[in-house]
Amino acid sequence: MIGRLRGTLAEKQPPHLILDVNGLGYELEVPMTTLYRLPSVGEPLTLHTHLVVREDAQLLYGFASKRERDFFRELIRLNGVGPKLALALMSSLEVDELVRCVQSQDTSALTKVPGVGKKTAERLLVELKDRFKAWETVPAMFALVPNQPGGPDVAAVASAETDAVSALISLGYKPQEASKAISAIKEKGLSSEDLIRRALKGMI
Protein backbone atom coordinates (compact mmCIF):
# COMPACT_ATOMS: atom_id res chain seq x y z
CA MET A 1 0.00 0.00 0.00
CA ILE A 2 1.30 3.45 -0.92
CA GLY A 3 0.43 5.67 2.05
CA ARG A 4 2.27 8.90 1.31
CA LEU A 5 4.22 10.50 -1.52
CA ARG A 6 6.59 13.45 -1.41
CA GLY A 7 7.89 14.99 -4.61
CA THR A 8 7.43 17.81 -7.09
CA LEU A 9 4.12 18.76 -8.68
CA ALA A 10 4.83 18.06 -12.36
CA GLU A 11 1.39 18.46 -13.92
CA LYS A 12 -2.04 19.63 -12.85
CA GLN A 13 -5.08 18.66 -14.92
CA PRO A 14 -8.14 18.78 -12.63
CA PRO A 15 -9.04 16.42 -11.06
CA HIS A 16 -5.79 14.62 -11.92
CA LEU A 17 -2.19 15.52 -11.19
CA ILE A 18 1.23 14.01 -11.70
CA LEU A 19 3.67 13.98 -8.80
CA ASP A 20 7.33 13.51 -9.74
CA VAL A 21 9.08 11.42 -7.09
CA ASN A 22 12.77 11.06 -7.94
CA GLY A 23 12.02 10.90 -11.64
CA LEU A 24 9.03 8.57 -11.34
CA GLY A 25 5.71 10.22 -12.19
CA TYR A 26 2.72 9.12 -10.11
CA GLU A 27 -0.70 9.97 -11.52
CA LEU A 28 -3.21 10.71 -8.79
CA GLU A 29 -6.82 11.78 -8.63
CA VAL A 30 -7.67 14.26 -5.89
CA PRO A 31 -10.85 15.82 -4.50
CA MET A 32 -11.37 19.47 -5.37
CA THR A 33 -10.78 20.44 -1.74
CA THR A 34 -7.21 19.16 -2.13
CA LEU A 35 -6.85 20.67 -5.59
CA TYR A 36 -7.51 24.16 -4.19
CA ARG A 37 -4.52 23.79 -1.88
CA LEU A 38 -1.98 22.66 -4.43
CA PRO A 39 1.13 24.76 -4.98
CA SER A 40 2.28 25.89 -8.41
CA VAL A 41 3.65 23.35 -10.88
CA GLY A 42 7.34 22.76 -10.09
CA GLU A 43 6.86 23.25 -6.34
CA PRO A 44 7.37 20.50 -3.70
CA LEU A 45 4.27 18.63 -2.57
CA THR A 46 3.42 15.92 -0.06
CA LEU A 47 0.16 13.96 -0.38
CA HIS A 48 -1.41 11.25 1.75
CA THR A 49 -2.57 8.52 -0.59
CA HIS A 50 -4.92 5.59 -0.96
CA LEU A 51 -4.40 2.87 -3.56
CA VAL A 52 -7.38 1.09 -5.12
CA VAL A 53 -6.60 -2.12 -7.02
CA ARG A 54 -9.17 -3.31 -9.55
CA GLU A 55 -9.08 -6.06 -12.13
CA ASP A 56 -8.57 -3.52 -14.91
CA ALA A 57 -6.61 -0.76 -13.18
CA GLN A 58 -4.64 0.45 -10.18
CA LEU A 59 -5.90 3.87 -9.09
CA LEU A 60 -4.09 6.20 -6.72
CA TYR A 61 -5.95 8.91 -4.82
CA GLY A 62 -4.25 11.82 -3.08
CA PHE A 63 -5.28 14.05 -0.17
CA ALA A 64 -3.89 17.16 1.46
CA SER A 65 -4.24 15.71 4.97
CA LYS A 66 -4.54 12.36 6.72
CA ARG A 67 -7.96 13.47 7.97
CA GLU A 68 -9.24 13.82 4.41
CA ARG A 69 -7.82 10.41 3.51
CA ASP A 70 -9.42 8.83 6.59
CA PHE A 71 -12.74 10.38 5.62
CA PHE A 72 -12.42 8.99 2.09
CA ARG A 73 -11.74 5.54 3.53
CA GLU A 74 -14.82 5.75 5.72
CA LEU A 75 -16.96 6.68 2.72
CA ILE A 76 -15.80 3.87 0.45
CA ARG A 77 -16.54 1.31 3.18
CA LEU A 78 -20.24 2.08 2.78
CA ASN A 79 -22.45 -0.01 0.54
CA GLY A 80 -22.88 1.58 -2.87
CA VAL A 81 -20.16 4.19 -2.38
CA GLY A 82 -17.16 3.85 -4.66
CA PRO A 83 -14.18 6.16 -5.04
CA LYS A 84 -15.93 8.29 -7.69
CA LEU A 85 -18.92 9.10 -5.48
CA ALA A 86 -16.66 9.60 -2.45
CA LEU A 87 -14.59 12.15 -4.38
CA ALA A 88 -17.75 13.89 -5.60
CA LEU A 89 -18.97 14.24 -2.01
CA MET A 90 -15.59 15.50 -0.79
CA SER A 91 -15.26 17.87 -3.74
CA SER A 92 -18.64 19.47 -3.18
CA LEU A 93 -18.30 19.81 0.59
CA GLU A 94 -15.38 20.22 2.97
CA VAL A 95 -14.86 17.39 5.46
CA ASP A 96 -16.18 19.51 8.33
CA GLU A 97 -19.30 20.37 6.32
CA LEU A 98 -19.90 16.68 5.66
CA VAL A 99 -19.37 15.84 9.33
CA ARG A 100 -21.91 18.51 10.30
CA CYS A 101 -24.39 17.05 7.78
CA VAL A 102 -23.97 13.64 9.41
CA GLN A 103 -24.25 14.96 12.94
CA SER A 104 -27.43 16.93 12.14
CA GLN A 105 -28.76 14.29 9.69
CA ASP A 106 -29.19 17.00 7.06
CA THR A 107 -29.85 15.58 3.59
CA SER A 108 -30.31 18.87 1.73
CA ALA A 109 -26.64 19.49 0.90
CA LEU A 110 -25.96 15.86 -0.03
CA THR A 111 -28.80 15.67 -2.54
CA LYS A 112 -27.16 18.43 -4.61
CA VAL A 113 -24.13 16.22 -5.23
CA PRO A 114 -24.31 14.35 -8.58
CA GLY A 115 -25.45 10.77 -8.10
CA VAL A 116 -26.98 11.34 -4.66
CA GLY A 117 -30.77 11.28 -4.45
CA LYS A 118 -32.86 11.72 -1.32
CA LYS A 119 -32.98 8.01 -0.47
CA THR A 120 -29.25 7.62 -1.01
CA ALA A 121 -28.54 10.69 1.15
CA GLU A 122 -30.73 9.35 3.95
CA ARG A 123 -29.03 5.96 3.81
CA LEU A 124 -25.56 7.51 3.84
CA LEU A 125 -26.37 9.67 6.85
CA VAL A 126 -27.76 6.72 8.81
CA GLU A 127 -24.75 4.52 8.02
CA LEU A 128 -22.26 7.29 8.79
CA LYS A 129 -23.85 8.42 12.05
CA ASP A 130 -22.34 5.67 14.21
CA ARG A 131 -19.00 5.81 12.39
CA PHE A 132 -18.68 9.55 12.94
CA LYS A 133 -19.54 9.77 16.62
CA ALA A 134 -15.88 10.36 17.38
CA TRP A 135 -15.41 12.87 14.55
CA GLU A 136 -15.48 16.54 15.39
CA THR A 137 -15.26 19.58 13.23
CA VAL A 138 -11.94 21.37 13.50
CA PRO A 139 -10.74 24.81 12.39
CA ALA A 140 -9.51 24.94 8.81
CA MET A 141 -5.83 24.03 8.70
CA PHE A 142 -5.07 25.06 5.15
CA ALA A 143 -5.24 28.35 3.31
CA LEU A 144 -5.98 28.58 -0.35
CA VAL A 145 -2.97 29.18 -2.53
CA PRO A 146 -3.14 32.83 -3.69
CA ASN A 147 -3.14 33.71 -7.35
CA GLN A 148 0.21 34.61 -8.81
CA PRO A 149 0.66 38.31 -9.70
CA GLY A 150 0.14 39.32 -13.29
CA GLY A 151 -2.89 38.60 -15.44
CA PRO A 152 -3.03 35.50 -17.62
CA ASP A 153 -3.23 35.70 -21.38
CA VAL A 154 -6.32 34.75 -23.36
CA ALA A 155 -5.08 31.22 -24.00
CA ALA A 156 -4.46 30.65 -20.29
CA VAL A 157 -7.96 31.87 -19.41
CA ALA A 158 -9.53 29.57 -22.02
CA SER A 159 -7.45 26.66 -20.72
CA ALA A 160 -8.53 27.34 -17.13
CA GLU A 161 -12.19 27.37 -18.18
CA THR A 162 -11.81 24.14 -20.15
CA ASP A 163 -10.04 22.44 -17.23
CA ALA A 164 -12.77 23.61 -14.84
CA VAL A 165 -15.57 22.29 -17.06
CA SER A 166 -13.77 18.95 -17.46
CA ALA A 167 -13.30 18.65 -13.70
CA LEU A 168 -17.00 19.23 -13.02
CA ILE A 169 -17.97 16.65 -15.65
CA SER A 170 -15.61 14.14 -14.02
CA LEU A 171 -17.49 14.67 -10.75
CA GLY A 172 -20.75 13.62 -12.40
CA TYR A 173 -22.26 16.89 -13.56
CA LYS A 174 -23.76 16.96 -17.05
CA PRO A 175 -21.72 18.85 -19.68
CA GLN A 176 -24.45 21.48 -20.04
CA GLU A 177 -24.59 21.99 -16.26
CA ALA A 178 -20.81 22.28 -16.04
CA SER A 179 -20.53 24.77 -18.91
CA LYS A 180 -23.39 26.86 -17.56
CA ALA A 181 -21.91 26.93 -14.06
CA ILE A 182 -18.50 28.07 -15.29
CA SER A 183 -19.97 30.65 -17.69
CA ALA A 184 -21.98 32.13 -14.82
CA ILE A 185 -18.88 32.92 -12.73
CA LYS A 186 -16.26 33.69 -15.38
CA GLU A 187 -13.99 36.47 -14.23
CA LYS A 188 -10.69 37.64 -15.63
CA GLY A 189 -7.67 36.25 -13.81
CA LEU A 190 -9.34 33.27 -12.13
CA SER A 191 -7.44 29.98 -12.17
CA SER A 192 -9.16 26.68 -12.90
CA GLU A 193 -9.15 25.94 -9.15
CA ASP A 194 -10.91 29.24 -8.41
CA LEU A 195 -13.48 28.59 -11.14
CA ILE A 196 -14.19 25.08 -9.85
CA ARG A 197 -14.52 26.25 -6.24
CA ARG A 198 -16.93 29.05 -7.11
CA ALA A 199 -18.97 26.85 -9.43
CA LEU A 200 -19.35 24.11 -6.82
CA LYS A 201 -20.37 26.62 -4.16
CA GLY A 202 -23.00 27.97 -6.55
CA MET A 203 -24.32 24.49 -7.26
CA ILE A 204 -24.53 23.57 -3.59
Side-chain angles (χ1 to χ4, degrees), residues 57-130:
Q58 294 186 25
L59 306 173
L60 193 60
Y61 298 90
F63 305 91
S65 68
K66 288 182 66 176
R67 191 167 186 265
E68 285 188 338
R69 185 187 62 187
D70 291 345
F71 194 93
F72 175 82
R73 288 175 172 174
E74 290 287 356
L75 289 175
I76 62 175
R77 288 191 182 105
L78 303 179
N79 291 327
V81 178
K84 183 176 181 179
L85 180 54
L87 284 187
L89 287 164
M90 294 180 67
S91 294
S92 300
L93 298 165
E94 292 278 354
V95 170
D96 286 345
E97 292 175 312
L98 284 165
V99 171
R100 280 192 289 269
C101 284
V102 173
Q103 291 173 340
S104 62
Q105 294 293 285
D106 178 14
T107 61
S108 58
L110 296 187
T111 55
K112 295 178 182 178
V113 176
V116 180
K118 186 176 181 180
K119 288 185 178 179
T120 300
E122 291 173 346
R123 178 177 61 80
L124 290 178
L125 292 179
V126 169
E127 291 186 24
L128 286 171
K129 189 172 184 179
D130 290 336

Coordinates of all heavy atoms in Angstrom, one line a residue, residues 57-130:
A57 N -7.4 -2.0 -13.4 CA -6.6 -0.8 -13.2 C -6.2 -0.7 -11.7 O -6.7 -1.3 -10.8 CB -7.4 0.5 -13.5
Q58 N -5.1 0.1 -11.5 CA -4.6 0.5 -10.2 C -4.8 2.0 -10.1 O -4.1 2.7 -10.8 CB -3.2 0.0 -9.9 CG -3.1 -1.5 -9.9 CD -1.7 -2.0 -9.5 OE1 -0.9 -1.2 -8.9 NE2 -1.3 -3.2 -9.9
L59 N -5.6 2.4 -9.2 CA -5.9 3.9 -9.1 C -5.4 4.4 -7.8 O -5.6 3.9 -6.7 CB -7.4 4.1 -9.2 CG -8.1 3.5 -10.4 CD1 -9.6 3.6 -10.3 CD2 -7.6 4.1 -11.7
L60 N -4.7 5.6 -7.9 CA -4.1 6.2 -6.7 C -4.8 7.5 -6.4 O -4.9 8.4 -7.4 CB -2.6 6.4 -7.0 CG -1.7 6.8 -5.8 CD1 -1.8 5.7 -4.7 CD2 -0.3 7.0 -6.2
Y61 N -5.2 7.7 -5.2 CA -6.0 8.9 -4.8 C -5.1 9.7 -3.8 O -4.5 9.1 -2.9 CB -7.3 8.6 -4.2 CG -8.2 7.9 -5.2 CD1 -8.2 6.5 -5.3 CD2 -9.0 8.6 -6.1 CE1 -9.0 5.8 -6.2 CE2 -9.8 7.9 -7.0 CZ -9.8 6.5 -7.1 OH -10.6 5.9 -8.0
G62 N -5.1 11.0 -3.9 CA -4.2 11.8 -3.1 C -5.1 12.8 -2.3 O -6.1 13.3 -2.7
F63 N -4.6 13.1 -1.1 CA -5.3 14.0 -0.2 C -4.3 15.0 0.6 O -3.2 14.6 0.9 CB -6.1 13.2 0.9 CG -7.0 12.2 0.2 CD1 -6.6 10.9 -0.1 CD2 -8.3 12.6 -0.2 CE1 -7.4 10.0 -0.7 CE2 -9.1 11.7 -0.8 CZ -8.7 10.4 -1.1
A64 N -4.8 16.2 0.8 CA -3.9 17.2 1.5 C -3.6 16.8 2.9 O -2.6 17.2 3.4 CB -4.5 18.6 1.4
S65 N -4.5 16.1 3.6 CA -4.2 15.7 5.0 C -4.7 14.3 5.2 O -5.4 13.7 4.5 CB -5.1 16.6 5.9 OG -6.5 16.4 5.7
K66 N -4.2 13.7 6.3 CA -4.5 12.4 6.7 C -6.0 12.3 7.1 O -6.7 11.3 6.8 CB -3.7 11.9 7.9 CG -2.3 11.6 7.6 CD -1.5 11.1 8.8 CE -2.0 9.8 9.3 NZ -1.3 9.2 10.4
R67 N -6.5 13.4 7.6 CA -8.0 13.5 8.0 C -8.8 13.3 6.7 O -9.9 12.6 6.8 CB -8.2 14.8 8.7 CG -9.6 14.9 9.3 CD -9.7 16.1 10.3 NE -10.9 16.1 11.0 CZ -12.0 16.8 10.7 NH1 -12.0 17.5 9.5 NH2 -13.1 16.8 11.4
E68 N -8.5 14.0 5.6 CA -9.2 13.8 4.4 C -9.2 12.4 3.9 O -10.2 11.8 3.4 CB -8.7 14.8 3.3 CG -9.1 16.2 3.5 CD -8.8 17.1 2.4 OE1 -7.9 16.7 1.6 OE2 -9.4 18.2 2.2
R69 N -8.0 11.8 4.0 CA -7.8 10.4 3.5 C -8.6 9.5 4.4 O -9.3 8.5 3.9 CB -6.4 10.0 3.5 CG -6.1 8.6 2.9 CD -4.7 8.1 3.1 NE -4.3 8.0 4.5 CZ -3.1 7.7 4.9 NH1 -2.1 7.6 4.1 NH2 -2.8 7.6 6.2
D70 N -8.6 9.7 5.7 CA -9.4 8.8 6.6 C -10.9 8.9 6.3 O -11.6 7.9 6.3 CB -9.2 9.2 8.0 CG -7.8 8.9 8.5 OD1 -7.1 8.1 7.8 OD2 -7.3 9.4 9.6
F71 N -11.3 10.2 6.0 CA -12.7 10.4 5.6 C -13.1 9.6 4.3 O -14.1 9.0 4.3 CB -13.0 11.9 5.5 CG -14.5 12.2 5.4 CD1 -15.1 12.6 6.6 CD2 -15.2 12.2 4.3 CE1 -16.5 12.9 6.6 CE2 -16.5 12.5 4.2 CZ -17.2 12.9 5.4
F72 N -12.2 9.7 3.4 CA -12.4 9.0 2.1 C -12.5 7.5 2.4 O -13.4 6.8 1.8 CB -11.2 9.3 1.2 CG -11.2 8.5 -0.1 CD1 -12.0 9.0 -1.2 CD2 -10.4 7.4 -0.3 CE1 -12.0 8.3 -2.4 CE2 -10.4 6.7 -1.5 CZ -11.2 7.1 -2.5
R73 N -11.7 7.0 3.2 CA -11.7 5.5 3.5 C -13.0 5.1 4.2 O -13.6 4.0 4.0 CB -10.5 5.2 4.4 CG -9.2 5.2 3.6 CD -8.0 4.9 4.4 NE -6.8 4.7 3.6 CZ -5.6 4.6 4.1 NH1 -5.4 4.7 5.5 NH2 -4.5 4.4 3.3
E74 N -13.5 6.0 5.1 CA -14.8 5.7 5.7 C -15.9 5.7 4.7 O -16.8 4.8 4.7 CB -15.1 6.8 6.8 CG -14.3 6.8 8.0 CD -14.6 5.6 8.9 OE1 -15.5 4.9 8.7 OE2 -13.8 5.5 9.9
L75 N -15.9 6.6 3.7 CA -17.0 6.7 2.7 C -17.0 5.4 1.8 O -18.0 4.9 1.6 CB -16.8 7.9 1.9 CG -17.1 9.3 2.5 CD1 -16.8 10.4 1.6 CD2 -18.6 9.4 2.9
I76 N -15.8 5.0 1.4 CA -15.8 3.9 0.4 C -16.1 2.5 1.1 O -16.2 1.5 0.5 CB -14.5 3.8 -0.4 CG1 -13.3 3.6 0.6 CG2 -14.3 5.0 -1.2 CD1 -12.0 3.4 -0.2
R77 N -16.1 2.5 2.5 CA -16.5 1.3 3.2 C -18.1 1.1 3.1 O -18.6 0.0 3.4 CB -16.1 1.4 4.6 CG -14.6 1.2 4.8 CD -14.2 1.0 6.3 NE -12.8 0.9 6.5 CZ -12.0 1.9 7.0 NH1 -12.6 3.0 7.4 NH2 -10.7 1.7 7.2
L78 N -18.8 2.2 2.8 CA -20.2 2.1 2.8 C -20.7 1.4 1.5 O -20.1 1.4 0.5 CB -20.8 3.5 2.8 CG -20.4 4.4 4.0 CD1 -21.1 5.8 3.8 CD2 -20.8 3.8 5.3
N79 N -21.8 0.7 1.7 CA -22.5 0.0 0.5 C -22.9 1.0 -0.5 O -23.5 2.0 -0.2 CB -23.7 -0.8 1.0 CG -23.4 -2.0 1.9 OD1 -22.3 -2.6 1.7 ND2 -24.2 -2.3 2.8
G80 N -22.5 0.7 -1.8 CA -22.9 1.6 -2.9 C -22.1 2.8 -3.1 O -22.4 3.7 -3.9
V81 N -21.0 3.0 -2.3 CA -20.2 4.2 -2.4 C -18.8 3.8 -2.9 O -18.0 3.1 -2.2 CB -20.0 5.0 -1.0 CG1 -19.1 6.2 -1.2 CG2 -21.4 5.4 -0.6
G82 N -18.5 4.1 -4.1 CA -17.2 3.9 -4.7 C -16.3 5.1 -4.6 O -16.8 6.2 -4.2
P83 N -15.1 5.0 -5.1 CA -14.2 6.2 -5.0 C -14.7 7.4 -5.8 O -14.5 8.5 -5.3 CB -12.9 5.6 -5.7 CG -12.9 4.2 -5.4 CD -14.4 3.8 -5.5
K84 N -15.4 7.2 -6.9 CA -15.9 8.3 -7.7 C -17.0 9.1 -6.9 O -16.9 10.3 -6.8 CB -16.5 7.8 -9.0 CG -17.0 8.9 -9.9 CD -17.5 8.4 -11.2 CE -18.0 9.6 -12.1 NZ -18.5 9.1 -13.4
L85 N -17.9 8.4 -6.3 CA -18.9 9.1 -5.5 C -18.3 9.7 -4.2 O -18.7 10.9 -3.9 CB -20.0 8.1 -5.1 CG -21.2 8.7 -4.2 CD1 -21.8 9.9 -4.9 CD2 -22.2 7.7 -4.0
A86 N -17.3 9.0 -3.6 CA -16.7 9.6 -2.5 C -16.0 10.9 -2.8 O -16.0 11.9 -2.1 CB -15.7 8.6 -1.9
L87 N -15.3 10.9 -4.0 CA -14.6 12.2 -4.4 C -15.6 13.2 -4.7 O -15.3 14.4 -4.4 CB -13.7 11.9 -5.6 CG -12.4 11.1 -5.4 CD1 -11.6 11.1 -6.7 CD2 -11.6 11.8 -4.3
A88 N -16.7 12.9 -5.3 CA -17.8 13.9 -5.6 C -18.3 14.5 -4.3 O -18.5 15.8 -4.2 CB -18.9 13.3 -6.4
L89 N -18.5 13.7 -3.3 CA -19.0 14.2 -2.0 C -17.9 15.2 -1.4 O -18.2 16.3 -0.9 CB -19.3 13.1 -1.1 CG -20.5 12.3 -1.3 CD1 -20.5 10.9 -0.6 CD2 -21.8 13.1 -1.0
M90 N -16.7 14.7 -1.4 CA -15.6 15.5 -0.8 C -15.2 16.7 -1.6 O -14.6 17.7 -1.1 CB -14.4 14.6 -0.6 CG -14.6 13.5 0.4 SD -13.1 12.5 0.7 CE -12.0 13.6 1.4
S91 N -15.5 16.7 -2.9 CA -15.3 17.9 -3.7 C -16.3 18.9 -3.6 O -16.0 20.1 -3.7 CB -15.2 17.4 -5.2 OG -14.1 16.6 -5.5
S92 N -17.6 18.5 -3.3 CA -18.6 19.5 -3.2 C -18.7 20.1 -1.8 O -19.1 21.2 -1.6 CB -20.0 18.8 -3.5 OG -20.0 18.3 -4.8
L93 N -18.3 19.3 -0.8 CA -18.3 19.8 0.6 C -17.0 19.5 1.3 O -16.4 18.5 1.1 CB -19.4 19.1 1.4 CG -20.9 19.4 0.8 CD1 -21.8 18.3 1.4 CD2 -21.3 20.8 1.2
E94 N -16.6 20.4 2.1 CA -15.4 20.2 3.0 C -15.7 19.1 4.0 O -16.9 18.8 4.3 CB -15.0 21.5 3.7 CG -14.5 22.6 2.9 CD -13.0 22.5 2.5 OE1 -12.4 21.5 3.0 OE2 -12.5 23.3 1.7
V95 N -14.7 18.5 4.5 CA -14.9 17.4 5.5 C -15.7 17.8 6.6 O -16.6 17.2 7.1 CB -13.5 16.8 6.0 CG1 -13.7 15.9 7.1 CG2 -12.8 16.1 4.8
D96 N -15.4 19.0 7.2 CA -16.2 19.5 8.3 C -17.6 19.7 8.0 O -18.5 19.5 8.8 CB -15.6 20.8 8.9 CG -14.3 20.6 9.6 OD1 -14.0 19.4 10.0 OD2 -13.5 21.5 9.9
E97 N -17.9 20.2 6.8 CA -19.3 20.4 6.3 C -20.0 19.0 6.2 O -21.2 18.9 6.6 CB -19.3 21.1 5.0 CG -18.9 22.5 5.0 CD -18.8 23.2 3.7 OE1 -18.2 22.6 2.7 OE2 -19.3 24.3 3.5
L98 N -19.3 18.0 5.7 CA -19.9 16.7 5.7 C -20.1 16.1 7.0 O -21.2 15.5 7.3 CB -19.0 15.8 4.9 CG -19.0 16.0 3.3 CD1 -17.8 15.3 2.7 CD2 -20.3 15.4 2.7
V99 N -19.2 16.3 8.0 CA -19.4 15.8 9.3 C -20.6 16.5 10.0 O -21.4 15.8 10.6 CB -18.1 16.1 10.2 CG1 -18.4 15.8 11.6 CG2 -16.9 15.3 9.7
R100 N -20.7 17.8 9.7 CA -21.9 18.5 10.3 C -23.2 18.0 9.7 O -24.2 17.8 10.4 CB -21.8 20.0 10.0 CG -20.9 20.7 11.0 CD -21.0 22.2 10.9 NE -20.4 22.7 9.7 CZ -19.2 23.2 9.6 NH1 -18.4 23.1 10.6 NH2 -18.7 23.6 8.5
C101 N -23.2 17.6 8.4 CA -24.4 17.1 7.8 C -24.8 15.7 8.5 O -25.9 15.4 8.7 CB -24.2 16.8 6.3 SG -24.2 18.3 5.3
V102 N -23.7 14.9 8.8 CA -24.0 13.6 9.4 C -24.5 13.8 10.8 O -25.5 13.2 11.3 CB -22.7 12.8 9.4 CG1 -22.9 11.5 10.3 CG2 -22.3 12.4 8.0
Q103 N -23.9 14.7 11.5 CA -24.3 15.0 12.9 C -25.7 15.5 13.1 O -26.4 15.2 14.0 CB -23.3 15.9 13.6 CG -21.9 15.3 13.8 CD -20.9 16.3 14.3 OE1 -21.0 17.5 14.2 NE2 -19.8 15.8 14.9
S104 N -26.1 16.3 12.1 CA -27.4 16.9 12.1 C -28.4 16.2 11.3 O -29.6 16.5 11.2 CB -27.4 18.4 11.7 OG -26.9 18.5 10.3
Q105 N -27.9 15.1 10.6 CA -28.8 14.3 9.7 C -29.5 15.2 8.7 O -30.7 15.0 8.4 CB -29.8 13.5 10.5 CG -29.2 12.4 11.4 CD -28.5 11.3 10.6 OE1 -29.2 10.4 10.0 NE2 -27.2 11.3 10.5
D106 N -28.7 16.1 8.1 CA -29.2 17.0 7.1 C -28.9 16.5 5.7 O -27.8 16.3 5.2 CB -28.5 18.4 7.3 CG -28.9 19.4 6.2 OD1 -29.9 19.2 5.6 OD2 -28.2 20.4 6.1
T107 N -30.0 16.2 4.9 CA -29.8 15.6 3.6 C -29.8 16.6 2.5 O -29.4 16.3 1.4 CB -31.0 14.7 3.3 OG1 -32.3 15.4 3.3 CG2 -31.1 13.5 4.3
S108 N -30.2 17.9 2.8 CA -30.3 18.9 1.7 C -29.0 19.1 0.9 O -29.1 19.2 -0.3 CB -30.8 20.2 2.3 OG -29.9 20.7 3.3
A109 N -27.9 19.2 1.6 CA -26.6 19.5 0.9 C -26.2 18.3 0.1 O -25.7 18.4 -1.0 CB -25.5 19.9 1.9
L110 N -26.4 17.1 0.6 CA -26.0 15.9 0.0 C -26.7 15.6 -1.3 O -26.2 15.1 -2.3 CB -26.1 14.6 0.9 CG -25.3 14.6 2.2 CD1 -25.4 13.3 2.9 CD2 -23.8 14.9 1.9
T111 N -28.0 16.0 -1.4 CA -28.8 15.7 -2.5 C -28.4 16.6 -3.7 O -28.8 16.3 -4.8 CB -30.3 15.9 -2.2 OG1 -30.5 17.2 -1.7 CG2 -30.8 14.8 -1.2
K112 N -27.6 17.6 -3.5 CA -27.2 18.4 -4.6 C -25.9 17.9 -5.3 O -25.4 18.4 -6.3 CB -26.9 19.9 -4.1 CG -28.2 20.5 -3.6 CD -28.0 21.9 -3.1 CE -29.3 22.5 -2.6 NZ -29.1 23.9 -2.0
V113 N -25.3 16.9 -4.7 CA -24.1 16.2 -5.2 C -24.6 15.3 -6.3 O -25.5 14.5 -6.1 CB -23.4 15.5 -4.1 CG1 -22.2 14.7 -4.7 CG2 -22.9 16.4 -3.0
P114 N -23.9 15.3 -7.5 CA -24.3 14.4 -8.6 C -24.3 12.9 -8.1 O -23.4 12.5 -7.5 CB -23.2 14.6 -9.6 CG -22.7 15.9 -9.4 CD -22.8 16.1 -7.9
G115 N -25.4 12.2 -8.4 CA -25.5 10.8 -8.1 C -26.0 10.5 -6.7 O -26.1 9.3 -6.3
V116 N -26.4 11.5 -6.0 CA -27.0 11.3 -4.7 C -28.4 11.9 -4.6 O -28.7 13.1 -4.7 CB -26.2 12.1 -3.6 CG1 -26.8 11.9 -2.2 CG2 -24.7 11.6 -3.6
G117 N -29.4 10.9 -4.6 CA -30.8 11.3 -4.4 C -31.2 11.3 -3.0 O -30.3 11.0 -2.1
K118 N -32.4 11.6 -2.7 CA -32.9 11.7 -1.3 C -32.7 10.4 -0.6 O -32.2 10.4 0.6 CB -34.3 12.2 -1.3 CG -34.8 12.5 0.2 CD -36.2 13.0 0.2 CE -36.7 13.3 1.6 NZ -38.1 13.8 1.7
K119 N -33.1 9.3 -1.2 CA -33.0 8.0 -0.5 C -31.5 7.6 -0.2 O -31.2 7.1 0.9 CB -33.7 6.9 -1.3 CG -35.2 7.0 -1.3 CD -35.8 5.8 -2.0 CE -37.3 5.9 -2.0 NZ -38.0 4.8 -2.7
T120 N -30.7 7.9 -1.2 CA -29.2 7.6 -1.0 C -28.7 8.5 0.1 O -27.9 8.0 0.9 CB -28.5 7.9 -2.3 OG1 -29.0 7.0 -3.3 CG2 -27.0 7.6 -2.1
A121 N -29.0 9.8 0.1 CA -28.5 10.7 1.1 C -29.0 10.2 2.5 O -28.2 10.2 3.5 CB -29.1 12.1 0.9
E122 N -30.2 9.8 2.7 CA -30.7 9.4 3.9 C -30.0 8.1 4.4 O -29.6 8.0 5.6 CB -32.2 9.1 3.9 CG -33.1 10.3 3.7 CD -34.5 10.0 3.4 OE1 -34.9 8.9 3.1 OE2 -35.4 11.0 3.5
R123 N -29.7 7.2 3.5 CA -29.0 6.0 3.8 C -27.6 6.3 4.2 O -27.1 5.7 5.2 CB -29.0 5.0 2.6 CG -28.3 3.7 2.9 CD -28.4 2.8 1.7 NE -27.8 3.3 0.5 CZ -26.5 3.4 0.2 NH1 -25.6 2.9 1.0 NH2 -26.1 3.9 -0.9
L124 N -26.9 7.2 3.5 CA -25.6 7.5 3.8 C -25.5 8.1 5.2 O -24.6 7.8 6.0 CB -25.0 8.5 2.8 CG -24.7 8.0 1.4 CD1 -24.3 9.1 0.5 CD2 -23.7 6.8 1.4
L125 N -26.4 9.0 5.5 CA -26.4 9.7 6.8 C -26.6 8.7 8.0 O -26.0 8.8 9.0 CB -27.4 10.8 6.9 CG -27.1 12.0 6.0 CD1 -28.3 13.0 6.1 CD2 -25.8 12.6 6.3
V126 N -27.5 7.7 7.8 CA -27.8 6.7 8.8 C -26.5 5.8 9.0 O -26.1 5.6 10.2 CB -29.0 5.9 8.4 CG1 -29.1 4.6 9.4 CG2 -30.3 6.7 8.5
E127 N -25.9 5.4 7.9 CA -24.8 4.5 8.0 C -23.5 5.2 8.6 O -22.7 4.6 9.3 CB -24.4 4.0 6.6 CG -25.5 3.0 6.1 CD -25.0 2.3 4.8 OE1 -23.8 2.2 4.6 OE2 -25.9 1.9 4.1
L128 N -23.4 6.5 8.3 CA -22.3 7.3 8.8 C -22.4 7.8 10.2 O -21.4 8.1 10.9 CB -22.0 8.5 7.9 CG -21.4 8.2 6.5 CD1 -21.5 9.5 5.6 CD2 -20.0 7.7 6.6
K129 N -23.6 7.8 10.7 CA -23.9 8.4 12.0 C -23.0 7.7 13.1 O -22.4 8.4 13.9 CB -25.3 8.4 12.4 CG -25.7 9.2 13.6 CD -27.2 9.3 13.8 CE -27.5 10.1 15.1 NZ -29.0 10.2 15.3
D130 N -23.1 6.4 13.2 CA -22.3 5.7 14.2 C -20.8 5.8 14.0 O -20.1 5.9 14.9 CB -22.8 4.2 14.2 CG -24.2 4.0 14.8 OD1 -24.6 4.9 15.5 OD2 -24.8 3.0 14.4

